[in-house]
Amino acid sequence: MDGTPIPLVAHHESWISLDPVQGCPASCVYCYLEPKGLTRKVPEISSENLDAIYRQLVESRYFEKSFVEEGSVGRSFPIAIGNYTDMCLTHKNRLFLLSLLQKHREY
């Protein structure tokens, strides 16, 4: 386990990662969550409400590509939700994802 905290909003090569849920009860041998110590544990859902989660996303400097590289003003990155869990594995994760997607439609 590397102990590096996982931010709620992060920028990857070609997308923005939104990770309000972290951890997975499964222990798949190929899983990239293992080195971070996120397998075989009950997923932790951010204690922040959905408005606060999306406020952080919208206020993120990564939300508009123009903040990342010159010459691409107004172009947005795709948003990947739940990169540090399996959003569909547990009932609680699925309910949270549905709520989050409803909020996503508002933005």
PDB file of all heavy atoms in Angstrom, residues 70-107:
ATOM      1  N   GLU A  70      -2.581  25.465 -23.738  1.00  0.00           N
ATOM      2  CA  GLU A  70      -2.920  26.652 -24.516  1.00  0.00           C
ATOM      3  C   GLU A  70      -3.617  26.269 -25.815  1.00  0.00           C
ATOM      4  O   GLU A  70      -3.389  25.210 -26.374  1.00  0.00           O
ATOM      5  CB  GLU A  70      -1.631  27.425 -24.842  1.00  0.00           C
ATOM      6  CG  GLU A  70      -0.915  27.967 -23.623  1.00  0.00           C
ATOM      7  CD  GLU A  70      -1.646  29.129 -22.992  1.00  0.00           C
ATOM      8  OE1 GLU A  70      -2.276  29.913 -23.719  1.00  0.00           O
ATOM      9  OE2 GLU A  70      -1.576  29.242 -21.757  1.00  0.00           O
ATOM     10  N   GLY A  71      -4.456  27.150 -26.314  1.00  0.00           N
ATOM     11  CA  GLY A  71      -5.028  26.979 -27.633  1.00  0.00           C
ATOM     12  C   GLY A  71      -6.257  26.107 -27.726  1.00  0.00           C
ATOM     13  O   GLY A  71      -6.711  25.807 -28.820  1.00  0.00           O
ATOM     14  N   SER A  72      -6.815  25.683 -26.622  1.00  0.00           N
ATOM     15  CA  SER A  72      -8.004  24.830 -26.700  1.00  0.00           C
ATOM     16  C   SER A  72      -9.099  25.365 -25.782  1.00  0.00           C
ATOM     17  O   SER A  72      -9.727  24.634 -25.073  1.00  0.00           O
ATOM     18  CB  SER A  72      -7.636  23.398 -26.332  1.00  0.00           C
ATOM     19  OG  SER A  72      -7.061  23.367 -25.056  1.00  0.00           O
ATOM     20  N   VAL A  73      -9.294  26.665 -25.841  1.00  0.00           N
ATOM     21  CA  VAL A  73     -10.243  27.332 -24.949  1.00  0.00           C
ATOM     22  C   VAL A  73     -11.648  26.753 -25.120  1.00  0.00           C
ATOM     23  O   VAL A  73     -12.117  26.529 -26.219  1.00  0.00           O
ATOM     24  CB  VAL A  73     -10.254  28.846 -25.246  1.00  0.00           C
ATOM     25  CG1 VAL A  73     -11.293  29.538 -24.394  1.00  0.00           C
ATOM     26  CG2 VAL A  73      -8.875  29.434 -25.011  1.00  0.00           C
ATOM     27  N   GLY A  74     -12.290  26.487 -23.985  1.00  0.00           N
ATOM     28  CA  GLY A  74     -13.668  26.040 -23.977  1.00  0.00           C
ATOM     29  C   GLY A  74     -13.879  24.563 -24.229  1.00  0.00           C
ATOM     30  O   GLY A  74     -15.000  24.109 -24.234  1.00  0.00           O
ATOM     31  N   ARG A  75     -12.863  23.794 -24.419  1.00  0.00           N
ATOM     32  CA  ARG A  75     -13.012  22.356 -24.672  1.00  0.00           C
ATOM     33  C   ARG A  75     -12.957  21.605 -23.348  1.00  0.00           C
ATOM     34  O   ARG A  75     -12.026  21.760 -22.582  1.00  0.00           O
ATOM     35  CB  ARG A  75     -11.897  21.888 -25.598  1.00  0.00           C
ATOM     36  CG  ARG A  75     -12.079  20.479 -26.037  1.00  0.00           C
ATOM     37  CD  ARG A  75     -11.140  20.158 -27.166  1.00  0.00           C
ATOM     38  NE  ARG A  75     -10.961  18.718 -27.168  1.00  0.00           N
ATOM     39  CZ  ARG A  75      -9.852  18.103 -27.464  1.00  0.00           C
ATOM     40  NH1 ARG A  75      -8.809  18.787 -27.830  1.00  0.00           N
ATOM     41  NH2 ARG A  75      -9.775  16.815 -27.434  1.00  0.00           N
ATOM     42  N   SER A  76     -13.930  20.782 -23.078  1.00  0.00           N
ATOM     43  CA  SER A  76     -13.995  20.048 -21.816  1.00  0.00           C
ATOM     44  C   SER A  76     -13.473  18.629 -21.966  1.00  0.00           C
ATOM     45  O   SER A  76     -13.548  18.039 -23.035  1.00  0.00           O
ATOM     46  CB  SER A  76     -15.437  19.974 -21.319  1.00  0.00           C
ATOM     47  OG  SER A  76     -15.925  21.247 -21.037  1.00  0.00           O
ATOM     48  N   PHE A  77     -12.955  18.101 -20.875  1.00  0.00           N
ATOM     49  CA  PHE A  77     -12.533  16.704 -20.823  1.00  0.00           C
ATOM     50  C   PHE A  77     -13.719  15.837 -20.433  1.00  0.00           C
ATOM     51  O   PHE A  77     -14.596  16.268 -19.685  1.00  0.00           O
ATOM     52  CB  PHE A  77     -11.465  16.508 -19.743  1.00  0.00           C
ATOM     53  CG  PHE A  77     -10.090  16.910 -20.151  1.00  0.00           C
ATOM     54  CD1 PHE A  77      -9.452  17.964 -19.532  1.00  0.00           C
ATOM     55  CD2 PHE A  77      -9.417  16.209 -21.130  1.00  0.00           C
ATOM     56  CE1 PHE A  77      -8.176  18.313 -19.891  1.00  0.00           C
ATOM     57  CE2 PHE A  77      -8.129  16.551 -21.492  1.00  0.00           C
ATOM     58  CZ  PHE A  77      -7.503  17.618 -20.873  1.00  0.00           C
ATOM     59  N   PRO A  78     -13.753  14.572 -20.871  1.00  0.00           N
ATOM     60  CA  PRO A  78     -14.760  13.639 -20.355  1.00  0.00           C
ATOM     61  C   PRO A  78     -14.530  13.395 -18.861  1.00  0.00           C
ATOM     62  O   PRO A  78     -13.404  13.528 -18.380  1.00  0.00           O
ATOM     63  CB  PRO A  78     -14.514  12.351 -21.142  1.00  0.00           C
ATOM     64  CG  PRO A  78     -13.535  12.671 -22.198  1.00  0.00           C
ATOM     65  CD  PRO A  78     -12.890  13.964 -21.854  1.00  0.00           C
ATOM     66  N   ILE A  79     -15.584  13.035 -18.166  1.00  0.00           N
ATOM     67  CA  ILE A  79     -15.487  12.779 -16.728  1.00  0.00           C
ATOM     68  C   ILE A  79     -15.719  11.289 -16.485  1.00  0.00           C
ATOM     69  O   ILE A  79     -16.739  10.739 -16.894  1.00  0.00           O
ATOM     70  CB  ILE A  79     -16.524  13.611 -15.956  1.00  0.00           C
ATOM     71  CG1 ILE A  79     -16.275  15.097 -16.204  1.00  0.00           C
ATOM     72  CG2 ILE A  79     -16.474  13.284 -14.465  1.00  0.00           C
ATOM     73  CD1 ILE A  79     -17.408  15.979 -15.779  1.00  0.00           C
ATOM     74  N   ALA A  80     -14.764  10.650 -15.829  1.00  0.00           N
ATOM     75  CA  ALA A  80     -14.883   9.239 -15.457  1.00  0.00           C
ATOM     76  C   ALA A  80     -15.196   9.183 -13.963  1.00  0.00           C
ATOM     77  O   ALA A  80     -14.462   9.739 -13.147  1.00  0.00           O
ATOM     78  CB  ALA A  80     -13.582   8.502 -15.761  1.00  0.00           C
ATOM     79  N   ILE A  81     -16.272   8.536 -13.620  1.00  0.00           N
ATOM     80  CA  ILE A  81     -16.724   8.471 -12.226  1.00  0.00           C
ATOM     81  C   ILE A  81     -16.407   7.099 -11.642  1.00  0.00           C
ATOM     82  O   ILE A  81     -16.750   6.074 -12.214  1.00  0.00           O
ATOM     83  CB  ILE A  81     -18.240   8.732 -12.136  1.00  0.00           C
ATOM     84  CG1 ILE A  81     -18.565  10.122 -12.677  1.00  0.00           C
ATOM     85  CG2 ILE A  81     -18.738   8.576 -10.704  1.00  0.00           C
ATOM     86  CD1 ILE A  81     -20.053  10.383 -12.838  1.00  0.00           C
ATOM     87  N   GLY A  82     -15.750   7.091 -10.478  1.00  0.00           N
ATOM     88  CA  GLY A  82     -15.539   5.842  -9.744  1.00  0.00           C
ATOM     89  C   GLY A  82     -14.360   5.018 -10.218  1.00  0.00           C
ATOM     90  O   GLY A  82     -14.497   3.813 -10.416  1.00  0.00           O
ATOM     91  N   ASN A  83     -13.215   5.628 -10.373  1.00  0.00           N
ATOM     92  CA  ASN A  83     -12.022   4.919 -10.832  1.00  0.00           C
ATOM     93  C   ASN A  83     -11.314   4.137  -9.725  1.00  0.00           C
ATOM     94  O   ASN A  83     -10.404   3.376 -10.007  1.00  0.00           O
ATOM     95  CB  ASN A  83     -11.048   5.910 -11.460  1.00  0.00           C
ATOM     96  CG  ASN A  83     -11.637   6.552 -12.688  1.00  0.00           C
ATOM     97  OD1 ASN A  83     -11.724   5.920 -13.726  1.00  0.00           O
ATOM     98  ND2 ASN A  83     -12.089   7.780 -12.561  1.00  0.00           N
ATOM     99  N   TYR A  84     -11.738   4.321  -8.485  1.00  0.00           N
ATOM    100  CA  TYR A  84     -11.095   3.631  -7.363  1.00  0.00           C
ATOM    101  C   TYR A  84     -12.087   2.758  -6.607  1.00  0.00           C
ATOM    102  O   TYR A  84     -12.006   2.592  -5.390  1.00  0.00           O
ATOM    103  CB  TYR A  84     -10.400   4.639  -6.446  1.00  0.00           C
ATOM    104  CG  TYR A  84      -9.213   5.254  -7.130  1.00  0.00           C
ATOM    105  CD1 TYR A  84      -9.322   6.454  -7.823  1.00  0.00           C
ATOM    106  CD2 TYR A  84      -7.990   4.600  -7.133  1.00  0.00           C
ATOM    107  CE1 TYR A  84      -8.236   6.997  -8.478  1.00  0.00           C
ATOM    108  CE2 TYR A  84      -6.900   5.135  -7.788  1.00  0.00           C
ATOM    109  CZ  TYR A  84      -7.032   6.332  -8.460  1.00  0.00           C
ATOM    110  OH  TYR A  84      -5.950   6.851  -9.113  1.00  0.00           O
ATOM    111  N   THR A  85     -13.052   2.220  -7.357  1.00  0.00           N
ATOM    112  CA  THR A  85     -14.036   1.281  -6.835  1.00  0.00           C
ATOM    113  C   THR A  85     -14.640   0.541  -8.027  1.00  0.00           C
ATOM    114  O   THR A  85     -14.273   0.809  -9.166  1.00  0.00           O
ATOM    115  CB  THR A  85     -15.156   2.001  -6.047  1.00  0.00           C
ATOM    116  OG1 THR A  85     -15.943   1.025  -5.364  1.00  0.00           O
ATOM    117  CG2 THR A  85     -16.049   2.840  -6.931  1.00  0.00           C
ATOM    118  N   ASP A  86     -15.536  -0.343  -7.763  1.00  0.00           N
ATOM    119  CA  ASP A  86     -16.381  -0.912  -8.812  1.00  0.00           C
ATOM    120  C   ASP A  86     -17.762  -0.341  -8.537  1.00  0.00           C
ATOM    121  O   ASP A  86     -18.455  -0.782  -7.618  1.00  0.00           O
ATOM    122  CB  ASP A  86     -16.382  -2.449  -8.740  1.00  0.00           C
ATOM    123  CG  ASP A  86     -17.205  -3.078  -9.844  1.00  0.00           C
ATOM    124  OD1 ASP A  86     -18.184  -2.446 -10.299  1.00  0.00           O
ATOM    125  OD2 ASP A  86     -16.879  -4.203 -10.248  1.00  0.00           O
ATOM    126  N   MET A  87     -18.149   0.677  -9.291  1.00  0.00           N
ATOM    127  CA  MET A  87     -19.386   1.402  -9.018  1.00  0.00           C
ATOM    128  C   MET A  87     -20.632   0.535  -9.133  1.00  0.00           C
ATOM    129  O   MET A  87     -21.675   0.891  -8.608  1.00  0.00           O
ATOM    130  CB  MET A  87     -19.520   2.616  -9.955  1.00  0.00           C
ATOM    131  CG  MET A  87     -18.576   3.751  -9.631  1.00  0.00           C
ATOM    132  SD  MET A  87     -18.710   4.433  -7.962  1.00  0.00           S
ATOM    133  CE  MET A  87     -20.256   5.300  -8.030  1.00  0.00           C
ATOM    134  N   CYS A  88     -20.541  -0.593  -9.794  1.00  0.00           N
ATOM    135  CA  CYS A  88     -21.726  -1.427  -9.991  1.00  0.00           C
ATOM    136  C   CYS A  88     -21.716  -2.710  -9.162  1.00  0.00           C
ATOM    137  O   CYS A  88     -22.659  -3.491  -9.221  1.00  0.00           O
ATOM    138  CB  CYS A  88     -21.876  -1.763 -11.474  1.00  0.00           C
ATOM    139  SG  CYS A  88     -22.189  -0.294 -12.467  1.00  0.00           S
ATOM    140  N   LEU A  89     -20.689  -2.936  -8.376  1.00  0.00           N
ATOM    141  CA  LEU A  89     -20.572  -4.195  -7.645  1.00  0.00           C
ATOM    142  C   LEU A  89     -21.520  -4.296  -6.452  1.00  0.00           C
ATOM    143  O   LEU A  89     -22.120  -5.332  -6.217  1.00  0.00           O
ATOM    144  CB  LEU A  89     -19.128  -4.405  -7.180  1.00  0.00           C
ATOM    145  CG  LEU A  89     -18.837  -5.734  -6.501  1.00  0.00           C
ATOM    146  CD1 LEU A  89     -19.049  -6.887  -7.479  1.00  0.00           C
ATOM    147  CD2 LEU A  89     -17.419  -5.752  -5.963  1.00  0.00           C
ATOM    148  N   THR A  90     -21.675  -3.206  -5.709  1.00  0.00           N
ATOM    149  CA  THR A  90     -22.517  -3.266  -4.513  1.00  0.00           C
ATOM    150  C   THR A  90     -23.797  -2.444  -4.705  1.00  0.00           C
ATOM    151  O   THR A  90     -23.823  -1.485  -5.481  1.00  0.00           O
ATOM    152  CB  THR A  90     -21.783  -2.747  -3.258  1.00  0.00           C
ATOM    153  OG1 THR A  90     -21.584  -1.333  -3.387  1.00  0.00           O
ATOM    154  CG2 THR A  90     -20.441  -3.441  -3.077  1.00  0.00           C
ATOM    155  N   HIS A  91     -24.813  -2.804  -3.979  1.00  0.00           N
ATOM    156  CA  HIS A  91     -26.093  -2.088  -4.040  1.00  0.00           C
ATOM    157  C   HIS A  91     -25.898  -0.624  -3.634  1.00  0.00           C
ATOM    158  O   HIS A  91     -26.418   0.291  -4.283  1.00  0.00           O
ATOM    159  CB  HIS A  91     -27.119  -2.778  -3.139  1.00  0.00           C
ATOM    160  CG  HIS A  91     -28.455  -2.133  -3.161  1.00  0.00           C
ATOM    161  ND1 HIS A  91     -29.275  -2.145  -4.268  1.00  0.00           N
ATOM    162  CD2 HIS A  91     -29.113  -1.438  -2.202  1.00  0.00           C
ATOM    163  CE1 HIS A  91     -30.383  -1.480  -3.997  1.00  0.00           C
ATOM    164  NE2 HIS A  91     -30.318  -1.053  -2.753  1.00  0.00           N
ATOM    165  N   LYS A  92     -25.153  -0.387  -2.576  1.00  0.00           N
ATOM    166  CA  LYS A  92     -24.910   0.967  -2.081  1.00  0.00           C
ATOM    167  C   LYS A  92     -24.181   1.809  -3.135  1.00  0.00           C
ATOM    168  O   LYS A  92     -24.518   2.969  -3.353  1.00  0.00           O
ATOM    169  CB  LYS A  92     -24.093   0.897  -0.790  1.00  0.00           C
ATOM    170  CG  LYS A  92     -23.990   2.185  -0.041  1.00  0.00           C
ATOM    171  CD  LYS A  92     -23.292   1.955   1.294  1.00  0.00           C
ATOM    172  CE  LYS A  92     -23.146   3.228   2.070  1.00  0.00           C
ATOM    173  NZ  LYS A  92     -22.468   3.013   3.351  1.00  0.00           N
ATOM    174  N   ASN A  93     -23.182   1.235  -3.803  1.00  0.00           N
ATOM    175  CA  ASN A  93     -22.470   1.948  -4.867  1.00  0.00           C
ATOM    176  C   ASN A  93     -23.413   2.291  -6.016  1.00  0.00           C
ATOM    177  O   ASN A  93     -23.371   3.397  -6.556  1.00  0.00           O
ATOM    178  CB  ASN A  93     -21.312   1.111  -5.417  1.00  0.00           C
ATOM    179  CG  ASN A  93     -20.048   1.241  -4.618  1.00  0.00           C
ATOM    180  OD1 ASN A  93     -20.039   1.769  -3.521  1.00  0.00           O
ATOM    181  ND2 ASN A  93     -18.959   0.733  -5.170  1.00  0.00           N
ATOM    182  N   ARG A  94     -24.262   1.337  -6.405  1.00  0.00           N
ATOM    183  CA  ARG A  94     -25.187   1.572  -7.515  1.00  0.00           C
ATOM    184  C   ARG A  94     -26.165   2.699  -7.180  1.00  0.00           C
ATOM    185  O   ARG A  94     -26.431   3.567  -8.018  1.00  0.00           O
ATOM    186  CB  ARG A  94     -25.945   0.296  -7.875  1.00  0.00           C
ATOM    187  CG  ARG A  94     -25.065  -0.751  -8.555  1.00  0.00           C
ATOM    188  CD  ARG A  94     -25.872  -1.924  -9.094  1.00  0.00           C
ATOM    189  NE  ARG A  94     -26.613  -2.666  -8.086  1.00  0.00           N
ATOM    190  CZ  ARG A  94     -26.104  -3.677  -7.375  1.00  0.00           C
ATOM    191  NH1 ARG A  94     -24.867  -4.085  -7.556  1.00  0.00           N
ATOM    192  NH2 ARG A  94     -26.862  -4.296  -6.487  1.00  0.00           N
ATOM    193  N   LEU A  95     -26.693   2.702  -5.968  1.00  0.00           N
ATOM    194  CA  LEU A  95     -27.610   3.775  -5.562  1.00  0.00           C
ATOM    195  C   LEU A  95     -26.903   5.127  -5.565  1.00  0.00           C
ATOM    196  O   LEU A  95     -27.464   6.137  -6.009  1.00  0.00           O
ATOM    197  CB  LEU A  95     -28.189   3.485  -4.177  1.00  0.00           C
ATOM    198  CG  LEU A  95     -29.161   2.319  -4.090  1.00  0.00           C
ATOM    199  CD1 LEU A  95     -29.598   2.100  -2.642  1.00  0.00           C
ATOM    200  CD2 LEU A  95     -30.364   2.541  -4.995  1.00  0.00           C
ATOM    201  N   PHE A  96     -25.669   5.135  -5.062  1.00  0.00           N
ATOM    202  CA  PHE A  96     -24.911   6.381  -5.049  1.00  0.00           C
ATOM    203  C   PHE A  96     -24.641   6.858  -6.473  1.00  0.00           C
ATOM    204  O   PHE A  96     -24.781   8.036  -6.785  1.00  0.00           O
ATOM    205  CB  PHE A  96     -23.594   6.215  -4.285  1.00  0.00           C
ATOM    206  CG  PHE A  96     -22.839   7.503  -4.146  1.00  0.00           C
ATOM    207  CD1 PHE A  96     -23.203   8.436  -3.195  1.00  0.00           C
ATOM    208  CD2 PHE A  96     -21.778   7.797  -4.992  1.00  0.00           C
ATOM    209  CE1 PHE A  96     -22.521   9.640  -3.082  1.00  0.00           C
ATOM    210  CE2 PHE A  96     -21.088   8.978  -4.885  1.00  0.00           C
ATOM    211  CZ  PHE A  96     -21.465   9.912  -3.928  1.00  0.00           C
ATOM    212  N   LEU A  97     -24.261   5.946  -7.369  1.00  0.00           N
ATOM    213  CA  LEU A  97     -23.990   6.305  -8.754  1.00  0.00           C
ATOM    214  C   LEU A  97     -25.236   6.894  -9.416  1.00  0.00           C
ATOM    215  O   LEU A  97     -25.148   7.906 -10.120  1.00  0.00           O
ATOM    216  CB  LEU A  97     -23.496   5.089  -9.539  1.00  0.00           C
ATOM    217  CG  LEU A  97     -23.224   5.331 -11.023  1.00  0.00           C
ATOM    218  CD1 LEU A  97     -22.154   6.397 -11.238  1.00  0.00           C
ATOM    219  CD2 LEU A  97     -22.833   4.019 -11.701  1.00  0.00           C
ATOM    220  N   LEU A  98     -26.386   6.293  -9.193  1.00  0.00           N
ATOM    221  CA  LEU A  98     -27.619   6.833  -9.775  1.00  0.00           C
ATOM    222  C   LEU A  98     -27.892   8.247  -9.267  1.00  0.00           C
ATOM    223  O   LEU A  98     -28.260   9.129 -10.049  1.00  0.00           O
ATOM    224  CB  LEU A  98     -28.802   5.914  -9.464  1.00  0.00           C
ATOM    225  CG  LEU A  98     -28.796   4.584 -10.202  1.00  0.00           C
ATOM    226  CD1 LEU A  98     -29.917   3.690  -9.686  1.00  0.00           C
ATOM    227  CD2 LEU A  98     -28.904   4.784 -11.708  1.00  0.00           C
ATOM    228  N   SER A  99     -27.690   8.486  -7.990  1.00  0.00           N
ATOM    229  CA  SER A  99     -27.877   9.832  -7.426  1.00  0.00           C
ATOM    230  C   SER A  99     -26.872  10.806  -8.033  1.00  0.00           C
ATOM    231  O   SER A  99     -27.209  11.943  -8.369  1.00  0.00           O
ATOM    232  CB  SER A  99     -27.697   9.808  -5.904  1.00  0.00           C
ATOM    233  OG  SER A  99     -28.664   9.009  -5.311  1.00  0.00           O
ATOM    234  N   LEU A 100     -25.637  10.352  -8.164  1.00  0.00           N
ATOM    235  CA  LEU A 100     -24.580  11.197  -8.726  1.00  0.00           C
ATOM    236  C   LEU A 100     -24.869  11.537 -10.186  1.00  0.00           C
ATOM    237  O   LEU A 100     -24.676  12.667 -10.626  1.00  0.00           O
ATOM    238  CB  LEU A 100     -23.236  10.479  -8.591  1.00  0.00           C
ATOM    239  CG  LEU A 100     -21.979  11.304  -8.754  1.00  0.00           C
ATOM    240  CD1 LEU A 100     -21.909  12.404  -7.703  1.00  0.00           C
ATOM    241  CD2 LEU A 100     -20.762  10.410  -8.656  1.00  0.00           C
ATOM    242  N   LEU A 101     -25.365  10.571 -10.940  1.00  0.00           N
ATOM    243  CA  LEU A 101     -25.693  10.823 -12.345  1.00  0.00           C
ATOM    244  C   LEU A 101     -26.873  11.787 -12.483  1.00  0.00           C
ATOM    245  O   LEU A 101     -26.906  12.596 -13.416  1.00  0.00           O
ATOM    246  CB  LEU A 101     -25.972   9.513 -13.075  1.00  0.00           C
ATOM    247  CG  LEU A 101     -24.743   8.624 -13.277  1.00  0.00           C
ATOM    248  CD1 LEU A 101     -25.154   7.278 -13.864  1.00  0.00           C
ATOM    249  CD2 LEU A 101     -23.694   9.305 -14.130  1.00  0.00           C
ATOM    250  N   GLN A 102     -27.823  11.716 -11.565  1.00  0.00           N
ATOM    251  CA  GLN A 102     -28.912  12.702 -11.563  1.00  0.00           C
ATOM    252  C   GLN A 102     -28.342  14.096 -11.357  1.00  0.00           C
ATOM    253  O   GLN A 102     -28.733  15.046 -12.028  1.00  0.00           O
ATOM    254  CB  GLN A 102     -29.933  12.379 -10.463  1.00  0.00           C
ATOM    255  CG  GLN A 102     -30.793  11.194 -10.756  1.00  0.00           C
ATOM    256  CD  GLN A 102     -31.742  11.446 -11.922  1.00  0.00           C
ATOM    257  OE1 GLN A 102     -32.079  12.557 -12.268  1.00  0.00           O
ATOM    258  NE2 GLN A 102     -32.166  10.367 -12.555  1.00  0.00           N
ATOM    259  N   LYS A 103     -27.417  14.234 -10.419  1.00  0.00           N
ATOM    260  CA  LYS A 103     -26.772  15.522 -10.166  1.00  0.00           C
ATOM    261  C   LYS A 103     -25.955  15.948 -11.381  1.00  0.00           C
ATOM    262  O   LYS A 103     -25.935  17.119 -11.766  1.00  0.00           O
ATOM    263  CB  LYS A 103     -25.896  15.431  -8.912  1.00  0.00           C
ATOM    264  CG  LYS A 103     -25.197  16.711  -8.521  1.00  0.00           C
ATOM    265  CD  LYS A 103     -26.123  17.872  -8.292  1.00  0.00           C
ATOM    266  CE  LYS A 103     -27.058  17.661  -7.125  1.00  0.00           C
ATOM    267  NZ  LYS A 103     -27.941  18.808  -6.882  1.00  0.00           N
ATOM    268  N   HIS A 104     -25.302  14.997 -12.019  1.00  0.00           N
ATOM    269  CA  HIS A 104     -24.476  15.268 -13.195  1.00  0.00           C
ATOM    270  C   HIS A 104     -25.308  15.902 -14.319  1.00  0.00           C
ATOM    271  O   HIS A 104     -24.837  16.808 -15.009  1.00  0.00           O
ATOM    272  CB  HIS A 104     -23.842  13.955 -13.674  1.00  0.00           C
ATOM    273  CG  HIS A 104     -22.848  14.119 -14.760  1.00  0.00           C
ATOM    274  ND1 HIS A 104     -21.576  14.606 -14.527  1.00  0.00           N
ATOM    275  CD2 HIS A 104     -22.934  13.874 -16.079  1.00  0.00           C
ATOM    276  CE1 HIS A 104     -20.927  14.644 -15.673  1.00  0.00           C
ATOM    277  NE2 HIS A 104     -21.721  14.199 -16.626  1.00  0.00           N
ATOM    278  N   ARG A 105     -26.535  15.455 -14.463  1.00  0.00           N
ATOM    279  CA  ARG A 105     -27.424  16.003 -15.500  1.00  0.00           C
ATOM    280  C   ARG A 105     -27.692  17.478 -15.275  1.00  0.00           C
ATOM    281  O   ARG A 105     -27.970  18.221 -16.215  1.00  0.00           O
ATOM    282  CB  ARG A 105     -28.732  15.240 -15.531  1.00  0.00           C
ATOM    283  CG  ARG A 105     -28.588  13.851 -16.086  1.00  0.00           C
ATOM    284  CD  ARG A 105     -29.883  13.123 -16.095  1.00  0.00           C
ATOM    285  NE  ARG A 105     -30.747  13.725 -17.123  1.00  0.00           N
ATOM    286  CZ  ARG A 105     -31.993  13.405 -17.301  1.00  0.00           C
ATOM    287  NH1 ARG A 105     -32.566  12.505 -16.526  1.00  0.00           N
ATOM    288  NH2 ARG A 105     -32.701  13.962 -18.236  1.00  0.00           N
ATOM    289  N   GLU A 106     -27.640  17.932 -14.032  1.00  0.00           N
ATOM    290  CA  GLU A 106     -27.892  19.334 -13.710  1.00  0.00           C
ATOM    291  C   GLU A 106     -26.737  20.232 -14.130  1.00  0.00           C
ATOM    292  O   GLU A 106     -26.917  21.442 -14.247  1.00  0.00           O
ATOM    293  CB  GLU A 106     -28.153  19.501 -12.214  1.00  0.00           C
ATOM    294  CG  GLU A 106     -29.396  18.797 -11.725  1.00  0.00           C
ATOM    295  CD  GLU A 106     -29.547  18.863 -10.222  1.00  0.00           C
ATOM    296  OE1 GLU A 106     -28.886  19.702  -9.574  1.00  0.00           O
ATOM    297  OE2 GLU A 106     -30.327  18.054  -9.679  1.00  0.00           O
ATOM    298  N   TYR A 107     -25.561  19.680 -14.306  1.00  0.00           N
ATOM    299  CA  TYR A 107     -24.370  20.493 -14.617  1.00  0.00           C
ATOM    300  C   TYR A 107     -24.025  20.471 -16.051  1.00  0.00           C
ATOM    301  O   TYR A 107     -24.218  20.202 -16.972  1.00  0.00           O
ATOM    302  CB  TYR A 107     -23.179  20.018 -13.798  1.00  0.00           C
ATOM    303  CG  TYR A 107     -23.253  20.506 -12.375  1.00  0.00           C
ATOM    304  CD1 TYR A 107     -23.965  19.814 -11.424  1.00  0.00           C
ATOM    305  CD2 TYR A 107     -22.631  21.687 -12.022  1.00  0.00           C
ATOM    306  CE1 TYR A 107     -24.055  20.272 -10.122  1.00  0.00           C
ATOM    307  CE2 TYR A 107     -22.707  22.146 -10.727  1.00  0.00           C
ATOM    308  CZ  TYR A 107     -23.420  21.444  -9.783  1.00  0.00           C
ATOM    309  OH  TYR A 107     -23.501  21.901  -8.500  1.00  0.00           O
TER     310      TYR A 107
END
